[in-house]
Amino acid sequence: MITRTHDTRTHRARGRFARDAAGSAVALVAGLVAGLSTLFAVSPAAAQPMGDDEHEPARPMLVSESAGLVAGATNNIALTFDIDEGWHVYWPGQNDTGFAPSLELTLPEGWTASDIQWPAPHRHVSPGGILDHVYEDGEATFIIPITVPSDAEVGPVTITADAEWLVCREACIPGWQTVTLETRVVPANARVGASEFSPRFEEARTRHAEPYTINPHPRRLQPTRWATLKWQGGDLQVSAVVPPNDAGRKPVSLAFYPDAGGSLVQNLLKTGESTGDASRAPAPLFLKRADPTKPISGIIEVRFLDKSRPALYRIESRPLNESNTAQSDSQRPDPNQPDPDG
C-alpha cells in the first residue's frame, strides 16, 4: 500500500497508469485462462474489463469504523468489497493464479497509514488442481489503521484511494476505481459513535490471526493454544492439539495459508490442509520450503467440530540451526524456567 499527499495532476496520472497496468493484467490473465481452458476445460470466457453498463461482481468502498476521526489518535478505515455469489478476490500470499487488491491512499499532510490488516483467507481449488487463497461470497474488509496528528484541523475531511483488484469465477475481471471517504475530524479525546459500517470491521476481526508465541517448555502445552510447531529435517510439522483446559471442543480441520513474506511451500495443494471427523483428529501438516533461505510464514487455522470460532495463528518459522530466531515448540527450553515435567 502506498500513501501520498493529494495532488490533482498526480491523481489523474495515476488513474491513467492504473488503466494501462490493468490492461496488461487483462492480457496476462486472458492468456492464463485460455491456457487453463485448453488443459482443464475451464470456461473459455477470457478475462476482460467490464463496460460501464455492466454489473461489477466486486464493488469497493472506502469506509470508516467510527462516525468521525479523532485527532491525536489512531483510527480505523477500510477498503471493503461487496462480492457477488460465486466470485472471489485474492489474498496477498501464495496463489496459483490471481493477485490481491492494492490501494494507493491520498491522506492530508502529516497523516500516516499502517499496513493493511488482511483477514485469513479460504482455500479455493479449481479444476486441474489449481489452488488459490481467496475471499468470497458476500463481503471482504481490509482494515487500515490511520494516525491523525494532534494538530489536525477539526471539521470535514476527504480521504481518497486508487484501488485495483482482480475478481474471478470461471473467468477473471480486473477492476480499478477511485474510492472516497467523506468524514470529519473531531477533537482529541472526543467520544465518537460507530458508523453504519462498524459491523464489517467486527466481522473482519473474527478472521484476524493472533501471533504464535513460542512455548518455553516443549513438553507442556500452553493452556489456550490449539496448534504446535516442530521442525523435522526440512519440514515444519504443524499439529492440532487440545489444550488441557478446553477439552470440550474437538479440532476437525487444520490448514496453512502462506503469505508473501516467506518461502513458497512445495505441493501445497496436498500438504496445506488436513481434515478429521468426530472420531479422529486431523493429521499433522508437513510443510516443505521451496526456498531454504526464507522462513515459512503465514496463518494456521484450526476449525472445530461444533463450528465455533476457529483458532488462527500467524507464524514465521525457521529451523533452530539457522541463524535467524527459530519459531518451534521443539526448540531448547529456557534454562531460567525449569520444566516441571522434568
Side-chain angles (χ1 to χ4, degrees):
M1 184 181 66
I2 302 171
T3 58
R4 53 180 164 77
T5 302
H6 179 69
D7 177 89
T8 302
R9 289 169 297 178
T10 302
H11 174 77
R12 290 176 179 169
R14 170 62 182 168
R16 289 195 297 270
F17 173 79
R19 287 187 285 274
D20 292 344
S24 299
V26 170
L28 175 63
V29 175
L32 174 62
V33 172
L36 291 177
S37 65
T38 301
L39 291 173
F40 305 120
V42 175
S43 169
Q48 294 291 338
M50 284 190 164
D52 292 339
D53 58 344
E54 295 184 74
H55 177 71
E56 293 282 357
R59 299 167 295 282
M61 295 182 288
L62 192 64
V63 300
S64 175
E65 184 171 20
S66 58
L69 305 179
V70 180
T74 298
N75 304 261
N76 291 316
I77 67 171
L79 177 68
T80 186
F81 285 88
D82 290 324
I83 303 173
D84 286 351
E85 183 177 357
W87 293 82
H88 57 263
V89 297
Y90 294 83
W91 106 301
Q94 183 172 338
N95 296 306
D96 287 340
T97 66
F99 53 85
S102 62
L103 193 69
E104 184 173 326
L105 277 173
T106 298
L107 296 173
E109 192 71 34
W111 295 36
T112 58
S114 299
D115 291 340
I116 294 174
Q117 297 175 357
W118 299 97
H122 299 283
R123 284 167 59 100
H124 181 85
V125 180
S126 301
I130 305 301
L131 173 64
D132 292 301
H133 299 90
V134 304
Y135 309 98
E136 54 193 345
D137 294 359
E139 298 173 358
T141 299
F142 311 120
I143 298 174
I144 310 158
I146 299 292
T147 300
V148 180
S150 57
D151 60 354
E153 183 178 353
V154 173
V157 67
T158 299
I159 299 174
T160 62
D162 291 338
E164 298 182 24
W165 64 93
L166 186 71
V167 58
C168 297
R169 192 167 60 181
E170 290 85 1
C172 293
I173 302 170
W176 53 87
Q177 183 176 326
T178 298
V179 287
T180 301
L181 169 62
E182 301 280 355
T183 186
R184 294 182 61 84
V185 175
V186 300
N189 302 317
R191 292 187 177 182
V192 183
S195 76
E196 63 180 299
F197 298 102
S198 63
R200 296 192 183 217
F201 289 76
E202 295 170 7
E203 179 64 24
R205 290 190 182 100
T206 68
R207 298 289 297 168
H208 285 183
E210 63 180 89
Y212 186 97
T213 56
I214 305 268
N215 186 351
H217 303 304
R219 295 188 296 277
R220 187 179 68 188
L221 295 180
Q222 292 190 349
T224 59
R225 202 168 62 195
W226 292 90
T228 59
L229 308 181
K230 182 180 180 180
W231 281 94
Q232 293 191 338
D235 296 342
L236 177 63
Q237 177 181 326
V238 181
S239 302
V241 296
V242 178
N245 67 342
D246 203 346
R249 291 201 292 171
K250 181 177 179 59
V252 293
S253 176
L254 182 64
F256 177 65
Y257 314 125
D259 63 25
S263 170
L264 296 179
V265 175
Q266 297 182 20
N267 198 19
L268 188 61
L269 179 65
K270 293 183 178 180
T271 65
E273 184 177 45
S274 174
T275 58
D277 54 34
S279 61
R280 61 182 179 87
L285 307 180
F286 290 90
L287 307 175
K288 183 182 292 292
R289 294 177 292 177
D291 183 348
T293 68
K294 295 182 178 181
I296 286 182
S297 178
I299 294 176
I300 297 168
E301 178 171 15
V302 182
R303 295 195 185 101
F304 302 101
L305 182 64
D306 62 4
K307 300 188 183 301
S308 57
R309 180 172 173 172
L312 295 161
Y313 305 105
R314 180 169 293 281
I315 69 167
E316 184 174 319
S317 184
R318 297 175 182 268
L320 182 62
N321 61 0
E322 294 187 4
S323 58
N324 290 49
T325 301
Q327 187 181 37
S328 168
D329 294 295
S330 62
Q331 69 175 324
R332 192 177 298 108
D334 183 346
N336 297 317
Q337 300 185 45
D339 188 346
D341 295 333

